[in-house]
Amino acid sequence: MKDITLKEIAFQLGISITTVSKALKDYPDVSPQTRNAVKKLAQELHYTPNSFAVNLRTKESKTIGLIVPELVHHFFSNVVNAIINEAEKNGYLVIILQSNESLALEKKQVELLINKRVDGIIMSLSNDSNNDDHIKGICARNIPFVMFDKISKLSTCSKVVINDQKAAFNAVQHLIDMGCKKIAHIRGPANPQNSVDRFIGFKKALEKNNIVFDPSLVYTCENVSFEEGKHFAEQIINDHKDIDGIFAITDLVAVGVLAYLNEKEIKIPAQIAVIGFSNWFMSQVLSPKLSTVDQPSREMGIESFNLLLEEMNCHKEGKIFKPRTIELKTSVIIRDSTMKIVI
Amino acid sequence: MKDITLKEIAFQLGISITTVSKALKDYPDVSPQTRNAVKKLAQELHYTPNSFAVNLRTKESKTIGLIVPELVHHFFSNVVNAIINEAEKNGYLVIILQSNESLALEKKQVELLINKRVDGIIMSLSNDSNNDDHIKGICARNIPFVMFDKISKLSTCSKVVINDQKAAFNAVQHLIDMGCKKIAHIRGPANPQNSVDRFIGFKKALEKNNIVFDPSLVYTCENVSFEEGKHFAEQIINDHKDIDGIFAITDLVAVGVLAYLNEKEIKIPAQIAVIGFSNWFMSQVLSPKLSTVDQPSREMGIESFNLLLEEMNCHKEGKIFKPRTIELKTSVIIRDSTMKIVI
């Protein structure tokens, strides 16, 4: 495609480049006739301002980068959805990358975005992320930066999170309130802060209720998948005949648990109560409907973008921005999978 | 952030800008000592090439634009996933926009991407799209362009599609093979080509089997949602007591149908068989497991990007590219929701 330039328009109309530029920007010192002629020709020739040149002048790309572990995940696609919509409302475009839960890829993608000169970066860490040199790199370059959900506690940037410990505590407390006495936990991998925090919440709820913590009741996912839910449900039943409650790290895993228990015709919740985490849309469609912790994904996306926007604006005006952490509220959603009749 | 320039590095080392530029590009006429000194300082100062300037020189942004109706949809998030991964492998970043099924927004987003000077655009139309002026605008500017799934048949660009008519025909033929005699169709809105084609496939299957087409058995979705699935299932039962099969435009709607029938304790498939479309991951987790048409979302993403890449490469080399249409295979996945015992 040959780029149509201001020069081309000026040449065709026999006027100066400055006049063309002023006409397109509606400057009052250009006559309405000239303005209309310029605009008409610009439209006919499909003239668009060269954004690379505009970027070079303004030092802004009006583009932000977003790195998520994976897009095909109810929670993340909801957050991404909210970020894209919020960004567009504010005149920003979003480049999206997926780390596929790999630290190496995540590091490479941070470099890509920095080289692309995005105006800011929003990120949720991969499960693999056990060091934060690349995050320090973003901060060292003074690039506006927000982490959400899966964060690194050590870094000094802005964060949008939930209180995973408290949320998990409430989920397990609910199982205990429903009469569960022997509760297994299918936890996430070792690195992500939120899987550690949910595990701590689980332990604290047991402690509070004078239930002795038994490490053999904790099962650790690698991929946090539906298949792992099924697999660990089978293992739990084999290892502990008298289990009466299961708390799964996320709804996808809990759905796997339900699928296995249904297959084996184990009554939910009469025999085993099950609770998940994240309030996936599907959790209310299943049979039985899944109890879970509601994680406000849309709000998380909106708050993340708005924090970034604030920092980008400060940055543009040369003001100092003080990073903030926003903690969003969660709630336990009680459905059929835990509604035991307590006598 | 103050941008570190080649000039700054040259100044600090007391050498010329040309030498710094050559050293960073590993030109052989720069001594190893100088090269190492330049690279060391560039790293210390967090030097990154100014991508705006690079873009202005190469006229490439190494960025493509992707517009989808909505991201929070199993099918689209899978396609987007595949496009992002394929693009990254080939050195491209992806800006993602959602039309939220609005033609006005879609038009605005096409303009945004053109102004952004993306190297190419991939798009799936919104349900609202009943004219293609904006698509003609992309083609008029000779911007590499691929449409997938929800396409406009009239436009001359490359396309990646399935044969929706044939796929729907096969789904309905399967219901008939399972003994269904009175089949309702919950169809999509009037505009999208694929909802029209699935409806035609439905009609053709009836015709082929000498079943008279009854327009009162067709129900039209507005939002293609779970709630509409529930709502229309109720209406179908009320309107037609002897209904024995339902073909839904997509799995999400079919899941709504299952939810309603389960609630009312109507036996699936003994009383009513149900088949969906798209093979959403969740369709195999439900009770009963949902029969459906497998729509190859990952393949669709990969083929779309590769077609675009081919066109972008032709474009770069000044060669003529002839648009192509790729039709991907689908298959009927038979699960519990249609497994009637035919006597």
Side-chain angles (χ1 to χ4, degrees):
Chain A
M1 173 181 60
K2 188 171 160 285
D3 267 345
I4 299 301
T5 59
L6 296 181
K7 198 173 159 187
E8 178 75 26
I9 297 171
F11 176 77
Q12 290 203 25
L13 294 174
I15 56 177
S16 76
I17 297 176
T18 315
T19 308
V20 173
S21 170
K22 281 183 173 178
L24 289 171
K25 284 177 193 146
D26 289 321
Y27 274 43
D29 56 340
V30 177
S31 76
Q33 290 87 333
T34 308
R35 191 166 61 230
N36 292 340
V38 168
K39 286 194 173 175
K40 194 165 160 269
L41 184 61
Q43 202 174 11
E44 278 169 28
L45 297 175
H46 298 296
Y47 168 78
T48 42
N50 187 334
S51 72
F52 305 152
V54 173
N55 291 343
L56 197 59
R57 198 171 60 239
T58 62
K59 298 206 170 171
E60 262 191 294
S61 65
K62 282 287 179 185
T63 306
I64 65 163
L66 171 59
I67 305 177
V68 292
E70 50 165 346
L71 199 66
V72 186
H73 186 296
H74 164 78
F75 172 72
F76 285 114
S77 61
N78 269 300
V79 177
V80 170
N81 180 13
I83 290 176
I84 293 180
N85 290 343
E86 204 64 15
E88 197 178 342
K89 269 190 234 159
N90 288 279
Y92 285 86
L93 293 175
V94 188
I95 291 175
I96 300 173
L97 289 160
Q98 300 181 99
S99 65
N100 297 330
E101 304 288 8
S102 143
L103 175 62
L105 214 53
E106 188 177 282
K107 285 187 168 190
K108 201 188 122 207
Q109 291 168 341
V110 166
E111 282 306 313
L112 273 174
L113 292 175
I114 292 176
N115 289 339
K116 191 77 196 166
R117 307 262 160 154
V118 291
D119 295 336
I121 297 174
I122 300 178
M123 183 157 122
S124 189
L125 293 178
S126 72
N127 285 339
D128 206 21
S129 294
N130 53 5
N131 86 53
D132 57 1
D133 288 351
H134 55 315
I135 293 165
K136 283 186 195 137
I138 303 174
C139 301
R141 283 177 176 88
N142 198 19
I143 296 168
F145 179 51
V146 175
M147 277 202 268
F148 73 89
D149 193 47
K150 288 158 75 180
I151 58 148
S152 144
K153 278 202 173 159
L154 294 174
S155 68
T156 51
C157 65
S158 287
K159 292 158 200 159
V160 183
V161 292
I162 57 165
N163 188 328
D164 281 285
Q165 263 188 48
K166 202 167 130 192
F169 178 96
N170 291 339
V172 177
Q173 182 65 52
H174 167 62
L175 287 177
I176 295 168
D177 291 345
M178 291 293 108
C180 294
K181 292 187 180 4
K182 189 163 183 175
I183 302 168
H185 176 35
I186 308 182
R187 61 162 288 171
N191 284 328
Q193 190 62 50
N194 63 358
S195 99
V196 173
D197 280 338
R198 290 178 201 175
F199 170 62
I200 294 172
F202 164 73
K203 277 175 76 173
K204 282 193 174 165
L206 298 182
E207 201 180 309
K208 170 93 188 295
N209 292 275
N210 302 314
I211 300 173
V212 178
F213 169 67
D214 171 1
S216 78
L217 286 165
V218 179
Y219 295 77
T220 306
C221 288
E222 240 178 81
N223 313 314
V224 194
S225 65
F226 170 74
E227 286 73 22
E228 278 181 320
K230 280 186 86 166
H231 165 75
F232 284 128
E234 182 177 7
Q235 215 172 305
I236 291 169
I237 305 296
N238 288 339
D239 295 351
H240 306 278
K241 304 283 171 220
D242 52 344
I243 200 82
D244 58 9
I246 298 177
F247 166 46
I249 176 85
T250 187
D251 281 0
L252 189 58
V253 173
V255 169
V257 172
L258 293 190
Y260 181 80
L261 299 184
N262 279 335
E263 229 169 67
K264 295 289 158 191
E265 294 181 355
I266 292 167
K267 290 208 182 340
I268 314 167
Q271 238 176 301
I272 303 177
V274 181
I275 192 161
F277 202 109
S278 84
N279 198 21
W280 185 17
F281 156 74
M282 281 304 296
S283 56
Q284 54 184 307
V285 173
L286 295 163
S287 169
K289 295 189 173 89
L290 181 67
S291 295
T292 188
V293 174
D294 184 54
Q295 205 179 358
S297 49
R298 206 177 140 263
E299 242 181 300
M300 200 168 258
I302 294 172
E303 295 290 353
S304 296
F305 179 80
N306 285 327
L307 256 181
L308 189 75
L309 182 64
E310 210 184 301
E311 188 172 351
M312 291 190 296
N313 286 338
C314 277
H315 196 266
K316 218 159 47 178
E317 294 161 15
K319 288 185 195 156
I320 289 172
F321 175 80
K322 225 178 133 232
R324 283 206 307 286
T325 294
I326 295 177
E327 190 179 292
L328 300 175
K329 282 214 177 87
T330 59
S331 54
V332 176
I333 309 283
I334 302 170
R335 299 203 185 97
D336 302 341
S337 72
T338 58
M339 293 273 260
K340 290 199 182 197
I341 297 148
V342 186
I343 308 155
Chain B
M1 172 179 61
K2 189 172 159 285
D3 266 346
I4 298 303
T5 58
L6 296 180
K7 199 174 159 188
E8 178 75 27
I9 296 171
F11 176 77
Q12 288 203 27
L13 295 174
I15 56 177
S16 76
I17 296 176
T18 314
T19 308
V20 173
S21 171
K22 283 183 171 178
L24 289 172
K25 285 177 191 147
D26 288 320
Y27 275 43
D29 56 340
V30 177
S31 75
Q33 289 86 334
T34 308
R35 191 166 61 229
N36 292 340
V38 168
K39 287 193 171 175
K40 193 163 161 272
L41 184 60
Q43 202 173 12
E44 278 169 26
L45 296 176
H46 297 296
Y47 168 78
T48 42
N50 188 334
S51 72
F52 304 151
V54 172
N55 292 342
L56 198 59
R57 199 170 60 240
T58 61
K59 297 205 171 173
E60 263 190 293
S61 66
K62 282 286 178 186
T63 306
I64 65 164
L66 172 59
I67 304 178
V68 291
E70 52 166 344
L71 199 65
V72 187
H73 185 297
H74 163 79
F75 172 71
F76 285 115
S77 61
N78 269 301
V79 177
V80 171
N81 180 12
I83 291 176
I84 294 180
N85 289 343
E86 205 64 16
E88 196 178 343
K89 270 191 232 158
N90 288 279
Y92 284 86
L93 293 175
V94 188
I95 290 174
I96 300 173
L97 288 161
Q98 300 181 99
S99 64
N100 297 328
E101 304 289 7
S102 144
L103 174 63
L105 215 52
E106 189 177 280
K107 286 187 167 189
K108 202 188 122 207
Q109 290 168 342
V110 166
E111 282 306 312
L112 273 174
L113 291 175
I114 292 176
N115 288 339
K116 192 75 196 167
R117 308 263 159 154
V118 291
D119 296 335
I121 297 175
I122 300 177
M123 183 156 119
S124 191
L125 293 178
S126 72
N127 285 339
D128 206 19
S129 293
N130 53 4
N131 87 51
D132 56 2
D133 289 350
H134 54 316
I135 293 165
K136 283 185 195 138
I138 302 175
C139 300
R141 283 177 176 89
N142 198 19
I143 297 168
F145 180 50
V146 175
M147 277 202 268
F148 72 91
D149 193 47
K150 287 159 75 179
I151 57 148
S152 143
K153 277 202 175 161
L154 294 174
S155 68
T156 52
C157 64
S158 288
K159 291 156 200 160
V160 183
V161 292
I162 56 166
N163 188 329
D164 282 285
Q165 264 189 45
K166 201 167 129 190
F169 179 96
N170 291 339
V172 178
Q173 182 63 53
H174 166 64
L175 286 178
I176 296 170
D177 292 344
M178 290 292 109
C180 294
K181 293 190 182 359
K182 190 163 183 175
I183 303 168
H185 176 35
I186 308 181
R187 61 162 288 171
N191 284 327
Q193 190 61 51
N194 63 358
S195 98
V196 174
D197 281 338
R198 289 177 202 175
F199 170 61
I200 295 174
F202 164 73
K203 276 175 77 175
K204 282 194 175 166
L206 298 182
E207 201 179 308
K208 170 93 187 292
N209 292 273
N210 303 314
I211 299 173
V212 179
F213 170 66
D214 172 1
S216 79
L217 285 166
V218 179
Y219 296 78
T220 305
C221 288
E222 238 178 84
N223 312 313
V224 194
S225 65
F226 170 76
E227 287 72 22
E228 279 182 319
K230 280 185 87 167
H231 166 73
F232 285 128
E234 182 177 7
Q235 217 171 304
I236 291 169
I237 305 295
N238 288 339
D239 295 350
H240 307 277
K241 302 285 170 217
D242 51 345
I243 200 84
D244 58 9
I246 298 177
F247 166 46
I249 176 86
T250 188
D251 282 359
L252 188 59
V253 174
V255 170
V257 172
L258 292 190
Y260 180 79
L261 299 184
N262 278 336
E263 230 169 66
K264 295 290 158 189
E265 294 182 356
I266 292 168
K267 289 207 183 340
I268 315 167
Q271 239 178 299
I272 302 177
V274 181
I275 192 161
F277 202 110
S278 85
N279 198 20
W280 186 16
F281 156 75
M282 280 305 296
S283 58
Q284 54 184 305
V285 172
L286 295 161
S287 169
K289 294 187 173 92
L290 180 68
S291 295
T292 188
V293 174
D294 184 54
Q295 205 179 358
S297 50
R298 207 178 139 263
E299 243 182 298
M300 199 168 260
I302 293 173
E303 294 291 352
S304 297
F305 180 78
N306 284 327
L307 256 181
L308 190 75
L309 183 64
E310 211 184 298
E311 188 172 351
M312 292 191 294
N313 285 338
C314 278
H315 196 265
K316 216 158 49 178
E317 294 162 14
K319 288 185 194 156
I320 289 171
F321 175 79
K322 224 175 136 236
R324 282 207 308 287
T325 295
I326 295 176
E327 190 178 294
L328 299 175
K329 283 214 176 86
T330 59
S331 55
V332 176
I333 309 283
I334 303 169
R335 299 202 185 97
D336 301 341
S337 73
T338 58
M339 293 273 259
K340 290 202 183 195
I341 297 148
V342 186
I343 309 156

PDB file of all heavy atoms in Angstrom, chain B residues 120-132:
ATOM      1  N   GLY B 120      -1.753  -6.164   9.495  1.00  0.00           N
ATOM      2  CA  GLY B 120      -2.847  -6.962   8.965  1.00  0.00           C
ATOM      3  C   GLY B 120      -3.973  -7.061   9.977  1.00  0.00           C
ATOM      4  O   GLY B 120      -3.786  -6.725  11.155  1.00  0.00           O
ATOM      5  N   ILE B 121      -5.145  -7.489   9.510  1.00  0.00           N
ATOM      6  CA  ILE B 121      -6.312  -7.575  10.404  1.00  0.00           C
ATOM      7  C   ILE B 121      -6.996  -8.930  10.236  1.00  0.00           C
ATOM      8  O   ILE B 121      -7.169  -9.420   9.114  1.00  0.00           O
ATOM      9  CB  ILE B 121      -7.329  -6.441  10.095  1.00  0.00           C
ATOM     10  CG1 ILE B 121      -6.694  -5.054  10.357  1.00  0.00           C
ATOM     11  CG2 ILE B 121      -8.617  -6.606  10.903  1.00  0.00           C
ATOM     12  CD1 ILE B 121      -7.566  -3.863   9.964  1.00  0.00           C
ATOM     13  N   ILE B 122      -7.351  -9.543  11.366  1.00  0.00           N
ATOM     14  CA  ILE B 122      -8.166 -10.765  11.351  1.00  0.00           C
ATOM     15  C   ILE B 122      -9.480 -10.414  12.053  1.00  0.00           C
ATOM     16  O   ILE B 122      -9.469  -9.741  13.086  1.00  0.00           O
ATOM     17  CB  ILE B 122      -7.468 -11.930  12.082  1.00  0.00           C
ATOM     18  CG1 ILE B 122      -6.128 -12.271  11.415  1.00  0.00           C
ATOM     19  CG2 ILE B 122      -8.365 -13.172  12.110  1.00  0.00           C
ATOM     20  CD1 ILE B 122      -5.344 -13.371  12.118  1.00  0.00           C
ATOM     21  N   MET B 123     -10.583 -10.880  11.526  1.00  0.00           N
ATOM     22  CA  MET B 123     -11.868 -10.459  12.092  1.00  0.00           C
ATOM     23  C   MET B 123     -12.949 -11.519  11.958  1.00  0.00           C
ATOM     24  O   MET B 123     -12.992 -12.273  10.991  1.00  0.00           O
ATOM     25  CB  MET B 123     -12.306  -9.189  11.365  1.00  0.00           C
ATOM     26  CG  MET B 123     -13.566  -8.577  11.860  1.00  0.00           C
ATOM     27  SD  MET B 123     -13.514  -6.820  11.405  1.00  0.00           S
ATOM     28  CE  MET B 123     -14.921  -6.725  10.378  1.00  0.00           C
ATOM     29  N   SER B 124     -13.810 -11.580  12.954  1.00  0.00           N
ATOM     30  CA  SER B 124     -15.032 -12.363  12.880  1.00  0.00           C
ATOM     31  C   SER B 124     -16.170 -11.380  13.148  1.00  0.00           C
ATOM     32  O   SER B 124     -16.124 -10.625  14.123  1.00  0.00           O
ATOM     33  CB  SER B 124     -15.010 -13.474  13.926  1.00  0.00           C
ATOM     34  OG  SER B 124     -16.062 -14.376  13.705  1.00  0.00           O
ATOM     35  N   LEU B 125     -17.154 -11.348  12.269  1.00  0.00           N
ATOM     36  CA  LEU B 125     -18.177 -10.299  12.321  1.00  0.00           C
ATOM     37  C   LEU B 125     -19.108 -10.398  13.532  1.00  0.00           C
ATOM     38  O   LEU B 125     -19.374 -11.488  14.045  1.00  0.00           O
ATOM     39  CB  LEU B 125     -19.030 -10.350  11.057  1.00  0.00           C
ATOM     40  CG  LEU B 125     -18.346  -9.989   9.741  1.00  0.00           C
ATOM     41  CD1 LEU B 125     -19.330 -10.146   8.586  1.00  0.00           C
ATOM     42  CD2 LEU B 125     -17.814  -8.567   9.780  1.00  0.00           C
ATOM     43  N   SER B 126     -19.621  -9.257  13.927  1.00  0.00           N
ATOM     44  CA  SER B 126     -20.644  -9.227  14.978  1.00  0.00           C
ATOM     45  C   SER B 126     -21.984  -9.657  14.391  1.00  0.00           C
ATOM     46  O   SER B 126     -22.179  -9.610  13.177  1.00  0.00           O
ATOM     47  CB  SER B 126     -20.763  -7.806  15.530  1.00  0.00           C
ATOM     48  OG  SER B 126     -21.384  -6.975  14.576  1.00  0.00           O
ATOM     49  N   ASN B 127     -22.906 -10.062  15.245  1.00  0.00           N
ATOM     50  CA  ASN B 127     -24.239 -10.468  14.786  1.00  0.00           C
ATOM     51  C   ASN B 127     -24.989  -9.315  14.135  1.00  0.00           C
ATOM     52  O   ASN B 127     -25.918  -9.511  13.363  1.00  0.00           O
ATOM     53  CB  ASN B 127     -25.073 -10.997  15.962  1.00  0.00           C
ATOM     54  CG  ASN B 127     -24.628 -12.375  16.374  1.00  0.00           C
ATOM     55  OD1 ASN B 127     -23.996 -13.089  15.592  1.00  0.00           O
ATOM     56  ND2 ASN B 127     -24.943 -12.764  17.603  1.00  0.00           N
ATOM     57  N   ASP B 128     -24.566  -8.121  14.499  1.00  0.00           N
ATOM     58  CA  ASP B 128     -25.219  -6.905  14.080  1.00  0.00           C
ATOM     59  C   ASP B 128     -24.822  -6.485  12.662  1.00  0.00           C
ATOM     60  O   ASP B 128     -25.447  -5.605  12.069  1.00  0.00           O
ATOM     61  CB  ASP B 128     -24.768  -5.819  15.073  1.00  0.00           C
ATOM     62  CG  ASP B 128     -25.761  -4.699  15.207  1.00  0.00           C
ATOM     63  OD1 ASP B 128     -26.920  -4.917  14.829  1.00  0.00           O
ATOM     64  OD2 ASP B 128     -25.376  -3.628  15.685  1.00  0.00           O
ATOM     65  N   SER B 129     -23.766  -7.115  12.111  1.00  0.00           N
ATOM     66  CA  SER B 129     -23.175  -6.643  10.856  1.00  0.00           C
ATOM     67  C   SER B 129     -24.015  -7.021   9.645  1.00  0.00           C
ATOM     68  O   SER B 129     -23.997  -8.160   9.195  1.00  0.00           O
ATOM     69  CB  SER B 129     -21.769  -7.227  10.683  1.00  0.00           C
ATOM     70  OG  SER B 129     -20.931  -6.705  11.657  1.00  0.00           O
ATOM     71  N   ASN B 130     -24.747  -6.042   9.121  1.00  0.00           N
ATOM     72  CA  ASN B 130     -25.554  -6.313   7.936  1.00  0.00           C
ATOM     73  C   ASN B 130     -25.109  -5.475   6.732  1.00  0.00           C
ATOM     74  O   ASN B 130     -25.748  -5.470   5.711  1.00  0.00           O
ATOM     75  CB  ASN B 130     -27.037  -6.081   8.228  1.00  0.00           C
ATOM     76  CG  ASN B 130     -27.257  -4.700   8.802  1.00  0.00           C
ATOM     77  OD1 ASN B 130     -26.299  -3.931   8.896  1.00  0.00           O
ATOM     78  ND2 ASN B 130     -28.476  -4.392   9.169  1.00  0.00           N
ATOM     79  N   ASN B 131     -23.994  -4.737   6.887  1.00  0.00           N
ATOM     80  CA  ASN B 131     -23.399  -4.117   5.701  1.00  0.00           C
ATOM     81  C   ASN B 131     -21.891  -4.168   5.861  1.00  0.00           C
ATOM     82  O   ASN B 131     -21.380  -4.289   6.977  1.00  0.00           O
ATOM     83  CB  ASN B 131     -23.946  -2.707   5.470  1.00  0.00           C
ATOM     84  CG  ASN B 131     -23.190  -1.646   6.220  1.00  0.00           C
ATOM     85  OD1 ASN B 131     -21.969  -1.553   6.169  1.00  0.00           O
ATOM     86  ND2 ASN B 131     -23.936  -0.836   6.957  1.00  0.00           N
ATOM     87  N   ASP B 132     -21.185  -4.113   4.731  1.00  0.00           N
ATOM     88  CA  ASP B 132     -19.743  -4.304   4.855  1.00  0.00           C
ATOM     89  C   ASP B 132     -18.917  -3.178   4.248  1.00  0.00           C
ATOM     90  O   ASP B 132     -17.867  -3.413   3.677  1.00  0.00           O
ATOM     91  CB  ASP B 132     -19.326  -5.683   4.328  1.00  0.00           C
ATOM     92  CG  ASP B 132     -19.763  -5.915   2.891  1.00  0.00           C
ATOM     93  OD1 ASP B 132     -20.357  -4.987   2.310  1.00  0.00           O
ATOM     94  OD2 ASP B 132     -19.482  -7.004   2.366  1.00  0.00           O
TER      95      ASP B 132
END
